[in-house]
Amino acid sequence: MSRHWLTRSASIRGSPNPWGIRTSLVCFFEHDPRISTLDACEEHFWDLLRGLREQDECPWPEGISSDTEAADWEFAFNSTPMFVVANTPFHYKRRSRFFEYFAVTFQPRFVFDGLAAGTRTGDNARKIIRRRLSEYDSVAQTPLLGSFGEHGNKEWHQYFLDEENEVPLPTDRCPLHRSAATVSL
């Protein structure tokens, strides 16, 4: 994944968005035989995000906590906060996270403008999404789904979902804090 492409895509922040308000960047990765399990995909996913953070020379965005444990923390690159989702070929039960290749979706925070929890539009969107997840996935809905800024929510919990609805221990920290492996960006 080219960090230059992500920089270019993130540079739309603060300027008119020629692609529309619901724009996301989806990065598709070629098959890598070394990444052959869901756990290996998860490790690779966090290595990618750590690598991006380490190469990012822009300041942290205003209004977004830099504390990964805070309800108002979000991954950021090029001063652009974004929700990140991983899809893998190893998500069999959680079909909503299945894709034939490893893929990462970056959704800038502005995509969710007007969809805040507690608003009619936002609550309706969550209701529809969660209903569709329960119909599509063959595993119960994860208890980790939350809303940005809500007390107790941790966005990073939702970035890479497992198949068994395991809940991180209260002492678990965001994987961004681990040492980064060497990842080619």
Side-chain angles (χ1 to χ4, degrees), residues 13-184:
R13 185 175 192 265
S15 63
N17 182 351
W19 300 309
I21 62 169
R22 299 290 181 240
T23 297
S24 298
L25 171 66
V26 182
C27 300
F28 304 96
F29 295 81
E30 291 182 6
H31 175 69
D32 182 339
R34 297 169 298 171
I35 304 171
S36 59
T37 66
L38 188 62
D39 288 341
C41 284
E42 182 176 16
E43 200 57 45
H44 186 63
F45 169 76
W46 290 109
D47 285 346
L48 286 167
L49 292 187
R50 278 190 296 273
L52 286 170
R53 283 297 318 135
E54 289 173 1
Q55 293 185 36
D56 191 1
E57 298 173 359
C58 293
W60 194 256
E62 288 186 32
I64 301 295
S65 177
S66 60
D67 178 3
T68 56
E69 303 307 304
D72 61 345
W73 175 85
E74 191 78 273
F75 181 78
F77 185 81
N78 199 36
S79 297
T80 303
M82 50 189 92
F83 187 77
V84 186
V85 173
N87 295 86
T88 78
F90 305 104
H91 276 99
Y92 303 113
K93 297 177 193 174
R94 193 170 311 283
R95 293 178 20 190
S96 57
R97 295 290 178 107
F98 174 84
F99 189 69
E100 61 187 292
Y101 294 97
F102 179 69
V104 179
T105 303
F106 296 90
Q107 297 174 293
R109 174 91 344 238
F110 67 72
V111 167
F112 303 101
D113 286 352
L115 297 173
T119 66
R120 192 173 113 193
T121 305
D123 290 346
N124 189 51
R126 279 170 192 72
K127 180 180 174 183
I128 291 168
I129 290 167
R130 290 173 184 174
R131 184 190 79 236
R132 288 178 180 171
L133 289 175
S134 70
E135 293 169 357
Y136 190 63
D137 289 346
S138 61
V139 62
Q141 188 176 105
T142 178
L144 300 175
L145 292 183
S147 296
F148 179 78
E150 280 190 335
H151 177 73
N153 181 58
K154 295 180 182 177
E155 291 289 281
W156 67 267
H157 284 173
Q158 302 173 66
Y159 288 4
F160 194 104
L161 297 176
D162 68 11
E163 293 273 86
E164 305 302 328
N165 288 332
E166 291 183 28
V167 177
L169 298 172
T171 55
D172 287 348
R173 294 192 61 206
C174 177
L176 284 174
H177 299 295
R178 296 182 199 143
S179 296
T182 304
V183 176
S184 175

